[in-house]
């Protein structure tokens, strides 16, 4: 998806253009959610973060803070683990599993599911191979 952002969001820091282009989804060639480029000077401005991931992250962070207040319910490995992942936006499946076990035991519920990590698309497509012109 390529869309033009409303002018109030940002100016290009290089040329002050308001013609910023947001690339996400299939238009985003990296493993990031998306990025912002200037439509005039074509320079990279910033990475974009997945809003769905941000929401999950904030709920999870609140739940982890809850756990850390109940340090009597945590063992000596769990408390450092929780502090370690508190500000981590994306958890590995292993971290998520461990966290859910602690959540279930102490709070009786698990954290919301984070959206699946984006897979790196093939780096190059040979013209014609996928029916492209
Ligand atoms: Zn620019």
């Amino acid at each position: 998806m390529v869309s033009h952002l409303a002018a109030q969001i940002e100016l290009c820091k290089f040329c002050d253009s308001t013609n910023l282009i947001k690339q996400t989804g299939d238009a985003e060639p990296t493993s990031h959610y998306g990025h912002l480029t200037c439509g005039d000077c074509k320079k990279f401005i910033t990475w974009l973060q997945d809003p769905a991931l941000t929401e999950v992250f904030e709920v999870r962070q609140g739940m982890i803070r809850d756990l850390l207040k109940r340090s009597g319910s945590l063992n000596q490995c769990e408390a450092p683990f929780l502090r370690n992942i508190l500000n981590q936006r994306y958890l590995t499946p292993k971290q998520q599993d461990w966290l859910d076990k602690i959540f279930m035991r102490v709070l009786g519920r698990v954290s919301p599911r984070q959206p699946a990590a984006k897979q790196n698309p093939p780096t190059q497509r040979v013209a014609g191979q996928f029916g492209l012109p």
Side-chain angles (χ1 to χ4, degrees), residues 35-54:
H35 74 279
L36 200 60
T37 48
C38 177
D40 290 329
C41 72
K42 313 293 181 202
K43 285 184 178 157
F44 171 91
I45 299 173
T46 186
W47 293 113
L48 298 171
Q49 296 185 322
D50 184 347
L53 184 57
T54 300

Side-chain angles (χ1 to χ4, degrees), residues 23-35 37 47 118-124:
Q23 284 188 260
T24 58
D26 291 340
E28 171 53 54
T30 72
S31 61
H32 290 261
Y33 171 73
H35 74 279
T37 48
W47 293 113
K118 191 177 161 187
Q119 300 298 314
N120 273 312
T123 46
Q124 251 187 336

